[in-house]
Amino acid sequence: MVCKRKGAGVPACTPCKQPPSLPPSSSPTSEGTPTEAGGDAVRAGGTAPSPAQQQRECGDADCQEPPENPCDCHRDPPPETPDINQLPPSILLKIFSNLSLDERCLSASLVCKYWRDLCLDFQFWKQLDLSSRQQVWNLILENTLAYSTNIFISLQKSFSFIMSDTGVCVLAFKCPGLLRYTSLQVVNSFLTTSIIAVASHCPLLQKVHVGNQDKLTDEGLKQLGSKCRELKDIHFGQCYKISDEGMIVIAKGCLKLQRIYMQENKLVTDQSVKAFAEHCPELQYVGFMGCSVTSKGVIHLTKLRNLSSLDLRHITELDNETVMEIVKRCKNLSSLNLCLNWIINDRCVEVIAKEGQNLKELYLVSCKITDYALIAIGRYSMTIETVDVGWCKEITDQGATLIAQSSKSLRYLGLMRCDKVNEVTVEQLVQQYPHITFSTVLQDCKRTLERAYQMGWTPNMSAASS
């Protein structure tokens, strides 16, 4: 790819056409005759034209008749070759917006200075997605941030071990307008100093997702809670050193929180749940999977009138009464995940089906339920579309059949490893109720093959036969 300079592509003026050469003269003076000032060269091997011929060939205004062979130089030059740089900058920016980060930085920006300036336009540096990078060195990040101080608004990050606290601190200093920060796949690299730097320099931060960070402590959370008042979405999964001390500071300082998700944080207890329920009335999504939370803390969530999605997977001391009370009071609840809670029984599911006026998703994997729970859902719920009862050993053909027959809203039924459900029965249900997706090992394999065929895949029969 080459950027054409101005005027490039205009052909040079072609030589003037000359009349046929006269017969060669024997006079020695005919060879090497010099040209006249402003005139044409004497034809090689010929004699100078006569005055009459000169008059016919001249272009003076005194000539009474047009020349027989007008000079090609007097014609208009051919049109210039189309040049992409003649397009308005707005059009070029639109074209460049379809390029990837690598294509803009490593290809287009190297064509010419004009393209380099276009590739540095602020609209291309509002959001930087480095999640696909295997390695990001601190120096590379620092040079990248030098392009656009104070205009970054989003960053998705998944750096390897090469990314250190220094790089994160540079990021925070260069991007005071940062809104979102995600780091879910980095182990042992995101230290407390990094989150403190982000909290100190990025007061507009709205989203922080951090996972697999065993060195993140409560000191970092305290800085987020005290300085990032615009936080709306936090996710701390498998950060084993954070506790109620840091979480309570976030709950009291970030009153605009809408989403909070914790996973396997064993030092997070009922105190944190209570703090979020009391201080963050805008919460819509709450999850405490595998935390040291009990029904005494979960019951406080009934205060959240805007709660729409609740994830209570693997809460060891969760009782049925607490779940039923939440469903009764939280009228906007649309998704409820109770997987891996062996205590949840048929009676609880029946109340959920009756009281969940807006409930659309109900996940009951590995719960203590029988066919009665499925029959109750089909009989009482007019809104539930997704039901997953995988690994519930007491579910049989009867429950699967009756919920499919009676439910008007059901669109998905998960039956993975429900060993008492016969695959022949499921195949019949698939034919009778095509609007419902039934999930079993065999049915999922069939759908996978169908999608592969639709995308053009064909089995290699020669390899199979050999």
Side-chain angles (χ1 to χ4, degrees):
M1 189 180 293
V2 178
C3 179
K4 297 180 180 179
R5 295 182 178 179
K6 186 177 181 180
V10 180
C13 181
T14 56
C16 299
K17 295 182 180 179
Q18 303 294 348
S21 300
L22 296 176
S25 172
S26 60
S27 171
T29 60
S30 63
E31 297 180 0
T33 304
T35 58
E36 296 181 0
D40 295 334
V42 178
R43 296 143 189 83
T47 59
S50 64
Q53 290 172 330
Q54 292 179 355
Q55 183 175 2
R56 285 195 302 270
E57 294 174 5
C58 75
D60 295 341
D62 295 334
C63 294
Q64 299 299 322
E65 57 184 24
E68 295 179 358
N69 299 294
C71 178
D72 289 343
C73 297
H74 293 292
R75 293 186 303 184
D76 293 335
E80 294 185 4
T81 304
D83 187 350
I84 190 173
N85 284 349
Q86 294 175 352
L87 294 174
S90 59
I91 301 298
L92 287 175
L93 289 174
K94 182 65 175 178
I95 296 174
F96 290 169
S97 67
N98 296 310
L99 302 178
S100 66
L101 179 64
D102 285 347
E103 290 170 338
R104 282 198 303 269
C105 294
L106 302 180
S107 299
S109 65
L110 302 180
V111 172
C112 64
K113 184 179 182 300
Y114 179 47
W115 282 28
R116 178 181 180 274
D117 293 340
L118 289 176
C119 289
L120 293 181
D121 189 87
F122 76 95
Q123 67 170 299
F124 298 135
W125 300 95
K126 289 182 177 180
Q127 180 167 337
L128 180 63
D129 188 349
L130 300 177
S131 59
S132 61
R133 310 292 182 214
Q134 296 297 321
Q135 295 179 341
V136 178
W137 299 79
N138 290 332
L139 181 60
I140 294 177
L141 180 64
E142 185 173 357
N143 291 337
T144 303
L145 296 177
Y147 284 138
S148 48
T149 302
N150 201 29
I151 63 175
F152 278 69
I153 64 171
S154 176
L155 177 68
Q156 300 292 325
K157 162 185 162 319
S158 178
F159 296 142
S160 65
F161 297 103
I162 295 174
M163 184 63 187
S164 67
D165 289 330
T166 303
V168 177
C169 292
V170 171
L171 165 70
F173 180 76
K174 291 284 187 178
C175 308
L178 193 69
L179 295 184
R180 297 184 293 273
Y181 189 88
T182 303
S183 174
L184 296 177
Q185 300 176 4
V186 189
V187 182
N188 297 331
S189 63
F190 193 99
L191 304 178
T192 299
T193 54
S194 301
I195 197 69
I196 290 177
V198 172
S200 300
H201 296 285
C202 307
L204 301 179
L205 205 60
Q206 295 182 5
K207 175 180 177 179
V208 177
H209 283 204
V210 179
N212 299 319
Q213 302 297 338
D214 60 356
K215 292 186 179 181
L216 178 62
T217 65
D218 289 329
E219 294 302 318
L221 302 191
K222 290 179 181 179
Q223 292 296 316
L224 286 173
S226 60
K227 297 181 179 180
C228 299
R229 303 287 181 168
E230 300 298 319
L231 268 181
K232 296 181 179 180
D233 185 349
I234 60 174
H235 178 134
F236 297 114
Q238 297 176 322
C239 298
Y240 302 112
K241 290 187 178 181
I242 64 175
S243 67
D244 293 332
E245 184 179 354
M247 298 303 294
I248 291 174
V249 174
I250 289 183
K252 292 182 178 180
C254 305
L255 307 183
K256 297 181 180 181
L257 274 176
Q258 297 177 359
R259 295 174 58 90
I260 174 172
Y261 181 75
M262 310 294 293
Q263 180 179 352
E264 303 296 338
N265 300 304
K266 299 301 183 181
L267 300 180
V268 175
T269 70
D270 293 337
Q271 296 183 31
S272 296
V273 182
K274 180 181 179 182
F276 284 110
E278 291 179 349
H279 299 284
C280 304
E282 297 183 19
L283 275 173
Q284 301 174 13
Y285 180 98
V286 175
F288 286 95
M289 176 184 176
C291 297
S292 300
V293 174
T294 70
S295 291
K296 294 180 180 180
V298 174
I299 194 63
H300 293 285
L301 299 177
T302 55
K303 300 176 183 178
L304 301 175
R305 300 307 180 195
N306 295 322
L307 186 63
S308 61
S309 180
L310 181 58
D311 187 345
L312 297 177
R313 284 176 290 174
H314 195 40
I315 304 297
T316 55
E317 297 185 24
L318 182 66
D319 57 54
N320 290 278
E321 287 69 22
T322 299
V323 174
M324 292 186 288
E325 195 66 22
I326 289 177
V327 174
K328 291 177 182 179
R329 295 192 187 184
C330 300
K331 299 299 184 181
N332 292 320
L333 194 64
S334 62
S335 178
L336 179 60
N337 194 328
L338 300 173
C339 298
L340 304 175
N341 289 305
W342 182 246
I343 196 67
I344 300 301
N345 57 27
D346 292 338
R347 174 172 165 269
C348 179
V349 175
E350 181 180 2
V351 173
I352 292 174
K354 292 179 179 180
E355 299 292 339
Q357 299 177 1
N358 292 299
L359 195 64
K360 294 184 177 181
E361 301 175 355
L362 181 59
Y363 301 95
L364 301 167
V365 175
S366 293
C367 290
K368 191 179 180 179
I369 60 173
T370 67
D371 289 337
Y372 184 85
L374 293 184
I375 296 172
I377 294 173
R379 179 179 301 171
Y380 298 116
S381 177
M382 301 298 294
T383 60
I384 294 180
E385 300 175 357
T386 298
V387 177
D388 194 343
V389 292
W391 295 86
C392 293
K393 301 302 183 179
E394 300 302 319
I395 299 296
T396 68
D397 293 348
Q398 182 183 15
T401 301
L402 291 178
I403 189 177
Q405 290 177 349
S406 59
S407 176
K408 304 300 182 182
S409 58
L410 188 66
R411 294 296 178 268
Y412 177 92
L413 180 59
L415 298 169
M416 190 69 67
R417 291 308 309 270
C418 293
D419 297 335
K420 292 184 178 180
V421 177
N422 194 298
E423 195 62 47
V424 176
T425 301
V426 176
E427 191 65 40
Q428 294 174 352
L429 293 175
V430 169
Q431 301 298 325
Q432 295 175 5
Y433 306 99
H435 62 284
I436 301 177
T437 299
F438 296 88
S439 176
T440 64
V441 174
L442 183 58
Q443 294 300 322
D444 287 358
C445 289
K446 286 184 177 180
R447 280 189 289 270
T448 301
L449 282 175
E450 289 177 0
R451 286 193 294 267
Y453 283 127
Q454 292 174 359
M455 297 176 64
W457 176 81
T458 54
N460 190 343
M461 301 305 295
S462 59
S465 61
S466 62

